[in-house]
Amino acid sequence: QRKITNNLALGNVNQAIGDIVHYGGAEFKGSKKEANKSLLKQWIADRVSFPGASTIIIANSYKEVNKFNECVREQLKKEGIISDKDYLCKTIFGDIVVSVGDKIEFRQNEPEIGVTNGLSGVITQISEDEIKVCHHNEKNVKKTVKFNPKEYVHYNLPYAKTYSRVQGETYDRAYVSNSTYMSLQKFYVAGTRH
């Protein structure tokens, strides 16, 4: 991992990619659709192999992020982790569907409801006019915040994020959807999230 990171930092992209492939960290598919399907299949398999591991799917656009988040939610429903009862919410990132048990991440400070940009938690109750989210504060004390999803719209599902959103975050396992728009900087961010 350190060798790959150093090669990326130094701009030795070919060497870094060669090492990633050598260690089984990359797959090449015939199409973007095949690659994304394989990525999700690996994410599902790793949930069994690495229970409790923090994971992230990294994609280039919010459109891709939202699609991955939908796919992850379907798997979490199959596993019984989130409720079958869905609520459609309009956010600044577009329409998203959430359920009790879903994780959400707040994307704008709002002192009135007690949230900060980047705070995440699990939905414990939901109705058309109120969502309650349980999270742990900086002292690891369990807290609950509530908000009206029609008034506060700066949140999203955090199962998948864009390259820029994951900058500075660390996960046990990262899954990267390649893009023709991937620059060296984005590759470095994606390759150093775990």
Side-chain angles (χ1 to χ4, degrees):
Q1 172 69 34
R2 185 172 302 241
K3 180 182 171 189
I4 294 167
T5 301
N6 286 339
N7 277 320
L8 287 173
L10 295 171
N12 301 328
V13 179
N14 289 339
Q15 182 62 47
I17 291 173
D19 290 341
I20 291 168
V21 171
H22 175 76
Y23 293 111
E27 279 187 32
F28 298 96
K29 299 292 180 187
S31 70
K32 178 80 167 174
K33 186 176 181 178
E34 283 179 74
N36 286 349
K37 188 175 180 180
S38 178
L39 183 150
L40 285 165
K41 187 176 177 184
Q42 187 63 54
W43 179 86
I44 291 167
D46 286 352
R47 286 182 53 75
V48 175
S49 300
F50 305 97
S54 61
T55 64
I56 189 65
I57 298 171
I58 304 170
N60 190 61
S61 68
Y62 280 114
K63 182 178 178 182
E64 275 189 302
V65 164
N66 289 341
K67 183 66 178 160
F68 278 122
N69 280 331
E70 289 171 20
C71 292
V72 168
R73 287 189 78 255
E74 288 307 311
Q75 180 62 29
L76 296 177
K77 276 186 184 180
K78 287 179 188 174
E79 295 176 20
I81 293 172
I82 66 173
S83 170
D84 284 331
K85 185 166 171 112
D86 292 335
Y87 291 86
L88 178 66
C89 298
K90 296 190 178 298
T91 76
I92 62 166
F93 305 101
D95 291 351
I96 64 170
V97 177
V98 296
S99 303
V100 169
D102 260 320
K103 291 181 183 177
I104 64 168
E105 181 179 77
F106 298 98
R107 300 289 182 86
Q108 179 175 298
N109 295 342
E110 185 52 67
E112 192 172 298
I113 60 175
V115 300
T116 55
N117 184 12
L119 177 72
S120 63
V122 176
I123 297 174
T124 56
Q125 287 183 329
I126 189 168
S127 67
E128 297 295 325
D129 298 321
E130 184 177 82
I131 297 177
K132 288 186 180 178
V133 177
C134 180
H135 69 93
H136 289 85
N137 69 11
E138 61 279 349
K139 296 178 183 174
N140 206 26
V141 175
K142 194 183 238 184
K143 297 273 189 178
T144 299
V145 296
K146 59 184 177 179
F147 65 96
N148 183 331
K150 295 174 186 167
E151 295 173 3
Y152 180 84
V153 295
H154 299 275
Y155 60 95
N156 203 356
L157 297 163
Y159 310 117
K161 297 180 186 180
T162 61
Y163 295 98
S164 59
R165 187 67 199 177
V166 297
Q167 224 168 351
E169 297 179 358
T170 303
Y171 297 87
D172 298 323
R173 305 195 65 77
Y175 305 83
V176 182
S177 175
N178 191 15
S179 166
T180 55
Y181 300 105
M182 184 183 280
S183 63
L184 175 60
Q185 292 79 9
K186 287 180 178 179
F187 191 67
Y188 179 81
V189 168
T192 57
R193 291 310 93 201
H194 56 87

